Amino acid sequence: MNVTRSERAGRDKTDEMAMIKDMSGRVRMLEPELLVGRASSCGLRIDQRYVSARHAVLRWTGDRWELKDLGSRNGTFVDGQRIRPGEEIPASRGTKIAFGKLDQQWEIVDDSAPSVMAVPLDGGEPLLLDGELLALPSVDDPLATIYRNAEGFWVLEKSDDGITPVRNLQTFEVDGRVFRFCSLDNIAKTSIADFSPEFEVAHVELSFSVSRDEEYVELRATCDGRTFDLGARTHHYLLLTLARRRVEDAAQGLPETSCGWVYQEDIARDPSMSAPQLNLDVFRIRKQFATLGLPDAANIVERRPRTRQLRIGTNHVHISHL
């Protein structure tokens, strides 16, 4: 399985990844609901005559994997035994599965819970959630981002379009490629209940320390009594630019809901801030704040894709010079 550095970025976060492999050693990540068969719509496509168009499905139930034959012509085998159509059979690490031909086996090599992912329908490698963010078509060129909104639902944000809900198994297009979104749920977030109400972007205090030539921008973030030293990063300059606009608008007495919004075209006038670089910096900023554990890290840079505006997500900003 050939994997690029960008595609590998998400999976390096854990040693556990639900996977299945064939006899040649080819490995396939398991989607939460993996349809197996000859049809082009199948997540695991086996283009062999002994495999039915919709042969079987391997599904995560919340605590284990289960395999079900969908009435295939030549049957589905688990550890050498043919299973009854419609019967749900537990499958775990080491389980050997054959679809239609007993001597062509697949083995589950990791039975961990599946990851949230976007699967390209052109056959490329799935792209995985990384720090509660999923960049498309890659982390190096984030033209779109999937994340949970304030209500806990998954949304798709395109840099040149709107923000729309995205559900499990929904397909969508980014940069000419079609992807299928795979998630474990579409219900409201549960883990956020474990966070203090103060531990979210709107309450974050940002302290910028800027060199006189503005080539160097240090950043510290304080939230819920904790301070995080975020160091100096090139993408901090974009956040600084947005912070200054929000401070200026507040000083002019604009309503809070109107403060800080900047048109992308105005920022792009800076030669160092082309549209691709802007999208990349927005993703890097969001990812950096996601590593702090903020449940709504994507809100550190708010976007209005249809009007191509963005702003910093907190009004608690302090700027000083080194």
Side-chain angles (χ1 to χ4, degrees), residues 17 35 82 105 164 170 259 280 284 301-302 311 319:
M17 187 70 61
L35 182 63
R82 184 165 181 166
Q105 293 187 335
T164 57
Q170 180 177 332
C259 287
L280 183 59
R284 286 173 172 169
V301 178
E302 300 175 353
R311 75 168 181 173
I319 303 172

Side-chain angles (χ1 to χ4, degrees), residues 82-274:
R82 184 165 181 166
I83 65 176
R84 294 192 303 270
E87 183 180 9
E88 295 177 338
I89 303 296
S92 58
R93 187 190 301 265
T95 296
K96 292 182 171 58
I97 305 169
F99 304 102
K101 196 171 184 179
L102 191 54
D103 62 355
Q104 297 296 317
Q105 293 187 335
W106 291 73
E107 179 182 350
I108 295 181
V109 293
D110 194 317
D111 58 1
S112 305
S115 298
V116 175
M117 63 181 75
V119 181
L121 300 191
D122 59 11
E125 284 294 322
L127 305 175
L128 306 182
L129 194 71
D130 182 9
E132 297 304 311
L133 300 171
L134 201 164
L136 297 158
S138 73
V139 296
D140 298 322
D141 186 22
L143 299 179
T145 306
I146 292 177
Y147 56 89
R148 286 192 188 273
N149 64 10
E151 289 73 39
F153 296 97
W154 294 109
V155 294
L156 171 67
E157 175 192 287
K158 295 185 178 181
S159 59
D160 58 354
D161 202 346
I163 300 175
T164 57
V166 60
R167 297 182 177 276
N168 184 40
L169 302 183
Q170 180 177 332
T171 58
F172 55 89
E173 182 177 335
V174 175
D175 197 30
R177 298 180 72 189
V178 178
F179 295 85
R180 178 175 61 250
F181 179 61
C182 299
S183 71
L184 300 179
D185 59 73
N186 289 298
I187 61 175
K189 55 187 180 248
T190 57
S191 60
I192 290 181
D194 299 330
F195 289 90
S196 162
E198 299 299 310
F199 197 62
E200 54 186 33
V201 165
H203 300 286
V204 173
E205 295 184 10
L206 297 181
S207 298
F208 294 89
S209 298
V210 190
S211 65
R212 293 294 176 180
D213 60 7
E214 304 211 340
E215 293 292 328
Y216 186 84
V217 182
E218 290 183 350
L219 180 62
R220 286 184 295 110
T222 301
C223 192
D224 195 28
R226 286 173 280 179
T227 298
F228 305 90
D229 186 352
L230 302 181
R233 301 286 187 274
T234 57
H235 54 257
H236 289 169
Y237 186 75
L238 170 60
L239 205 58
L240 173 66
T241 300
L242 299 178
R244 283 171 167 163
R245 174 58 67 87
R246 186 148 184 172
V247 169
E248 291 169 1
D249 288 352
Q252 294 177 14
L254 294 180
E256 192 280 330
T257 55
S258 300
C259 287
W261 291 105
V262 183
Y263 284 98
Q264 180 174 318
E265 289 75 11
D266 291 340
I267 298 176
R269 290 172 183 169
D270 184 335
S272 67
M273 199 60 66
S274 62

